[in-house]
Amino acid sequence: MRANISGSPIQNLPNEILLEIIITYWEMQKTLHEDRKVPQNLPVHRQYHLALPMLVCRFWCELIVSSPTLWQEIDINGPNTQQLELALIRSQDAPLALFFHRHRAARAAVPLVLPHAHRIRSLHLPPLRFPLLEGHKVDMPSFLPLLRKQLLSLEELVIPASNPNRNRIPGYTLLALSDKQFPALQTLHLACAAIAWTPRIISRLRSLSLVACIPHGPPLSYSKFLDVLEGCNSLEELQLWDRFLSSATTFSPLASDRMVDLPRMRQLVINDTPTITSWFLARLCMPHRAAIRVIGRLSEDEVRARKGLFTSLLPWDPDGRPSVRIPSAQLYGKIAVSYGSFTLEVYPDETQSANLSLTLQLEPQSLFNWNEYLEGALDDFCDLFFGARLEMLYINNADYTFAADPMTWFRLLSAFPELHAIGTFMFGSPSPLFSALQHTPIQPDEDGVLQPPVCPQLGILSIEGTTHSEGLIELILAMLRCRHHFGLRQLDMLQLWLYTADAEQHQAYTAAIGLYQEEITSLVGCVLWGARGGSLSRTTLSL
């Protein structure tokens, strides 16, 4: 009863406001739980977050139990259905959001859910396990009775994939979706399913994601494929993974040059061959701020045979510029090599998602060292984003050995004169980068004056993961002297964390720092030196 909290101002709040406070707390706890990335093998129940406020007093407990809003999101983890039964009763007639976390939960839970099918607004099934053998069919027999029901209130259907970037040989479950069966459907995220590309299914959606899916029926001409897409005036998110475009259409180089307007598009993901991605993007008219992610699927022979791999993913206009408009207000650029892929990205800032992300992947996936294309990738980055007002550039997991020519780095840095911060976590010696930062063109300008080095606004330079080499510290000092000579901005911070393989190399590194420390610190606002030994433990050098 409220007497348990007698004297507290909260006892005078109307029930509606108190309930809003509890709901706000509940939403915050759910968000914190999701941000902690709890392992999938642990049981999850959104109602667990209600336990603490229910213990405050009897009145709070009764208020929570009698509030359907707090029970309409239901997690279903295993064969024990007690929590499900309780939530179905307490949710009364409220719309339901069902989250199945394991396939084994379906056998006991689906029969209990079927009488409430008309209330289901959101349905999340557990991730499918992709078959390893060709011809092995993925099926969901326990869920099919629910999916074949007429779900009049269903707005969101999600059947996720465990890893959308993996090459795989999928099996397919045919989902007979129709506007009569799911008249309210707005979000459709499917994996390993066969789907009909028809206006009755696609045109009403706001979000569509297809992972390892195939079209149901024969491939369509590009004209018919675009006919369906043209009717998607409400579409805000479109993700077509695993060469869905290639399997859904019969591509021809002479295909129609018509344009399709998607006025509400916020996010587009295409995972296909460069020929398909560039053609498809050339057909779309989207808002300038739409985030575009393109994953190009290439054979190893294609990777080794030519340059311009990243630029081949996009359409280009007659003036030699990408016809996909890249907003100039991109402050953050990233070049990253990872296992099985190579990515170029630009962001409005570090806190937001990329406006344009381009990734190269091999098909079939194999152990290919993408650093072999590092020099070409740096040139591609210049060609793609020239004119963007980048202030920060970060390069991750690459190897200087594959871009040892300082002129490659000079071309990259020259394209972005407003760079304020450069950060790298790379292998090998960073000598090419430091050489580029002190390089001055041999030819003077029209007035006979030598041109200054690149990046006149550079304030932060952070180098990590690289290897100490003889003469490196001297090269850094020469770079700083050159920039000082031309009157360029003094670095606010120079951070150098190198890898020293043995005690002898570590001693040479510290000796070089000790020799030039005083002059270097006079040319830089803050200097942070450090080393990683053979154990990869980090040591800060205090000199």
Side-chain angles (χ1 to χ4, degrees), residues 364-380:
Q365 194 173 37
S366 61
L367 294 176
F368 177 75
N369 184 1
W370 278 105
N371 275 297
E372 294 184 23
Y373 189 63
L374 178 59
E375 188 169 331
L378 298 181
D379 288 337
D380 287 349

Side-chain angles (χ1 to χ4, degrees), residues 166-183:
R166 290 182 58 190
N167 292 299
R168 58 180 73 88
I169 302 172
Y172 305 100
T173 295
L174 176 59
L175 295 181
L177 307 177
S178 70
D179 55 344
K180 292 184 178 180
Q181 186 183 9
F182 305 137

Side-chain angles (χ1 to χ4, degrees), residues 130-137 169-171:
F130 294 102
L132 301 178
L133 302 176
E134 187 172 7
H136 181 78
K137 187 179 180 61
I169 302 172

Side-chain angles (χ1 to χ4, degrees), residues 310 334-338 341-345 394-398:
F310 282 104
K334 184 177 180 181
I335 301 171
V337 179
S338 61
S341 66
F342 200 155
T343 299
L344 308 183
E345 295 178 323
Y394 183 68
I395 305 174
N396 185 50
N397 209 31

Side-chain angles (χ1 to χ4, degrees), residues 481-528:
R481 287 171 176 170
C482 178
R483 299 179 70 82
H484 177 73
H485 171 75
F486 278 91
L488 299 187
R489 171 182 175 171
Q490 176 179 289
L491 289 181
D492 299 320
M493 185 181 74
L494 171 63
Q495 178 173 282
L496 191 66
W497 298 96
L498 301 186
Y499 174 71
T500 52
D502 50 42
E504 182 179 351
Q505 194 178 74
H506 188 87
Q507 185 176 359
Y509 175 42
T510 55
I513 292 175
L515 185 61
Y516 300 109
Q517 173 84 358
E518 184 175 351
E519 184 177 0
I520 289 178
T521 53
S522 71
L523 298 171
V524 181
C526 174
V527 182
L528 299 175

Side-chain angles (χ1 to χ4, degrees), residues 21 59 88 99 127 180 187 207 236 242 247 326 333 389 395 412 431 454 526:
I21 293 174
F59 176 77
L88 288 174
F99 298 84
K180 292 184 178 180
T187 297
S207 177
E236 299 177 8
D242 300 290
S247 60
I326 302 171
R389 298 193 297 271
I395 305 174
L412 173 68
S431 297
V454 294
C526 174

Side-chain angles (χ1 to χ4, degrees), residues 179-238:
D179 55 344
K180 292 184 178 180
Q181 186 183 9
F182 305 137
L185 192 64
Q186 297 180 16
T187 297
L188 180 60
H189 293 184
L190 296 181
C192 239
I195 179 174
W197 188 264
T198 63
R200 297 181 66 178
I201 296 174
I202 307 298
S203 62
R204 297 174 293 111
L205 298 177
R206 295 176 60 183
S207 177
L208 174 63
S209 175
L210 301 177
V211 177
C213 291
I214 60 170
H216 177 54
L220 304 174
S221 67
Y222 259 103
S223 179
K224 291 184 178 179
F225 186 90
L226 295 178
D227 284 342
V228 175
L229 198 60
E230 194 168 36
C232 299
N233 295 322
S234 300
L235 195 61
E236 299 177 8
E237 178 185 13
L238 177 62

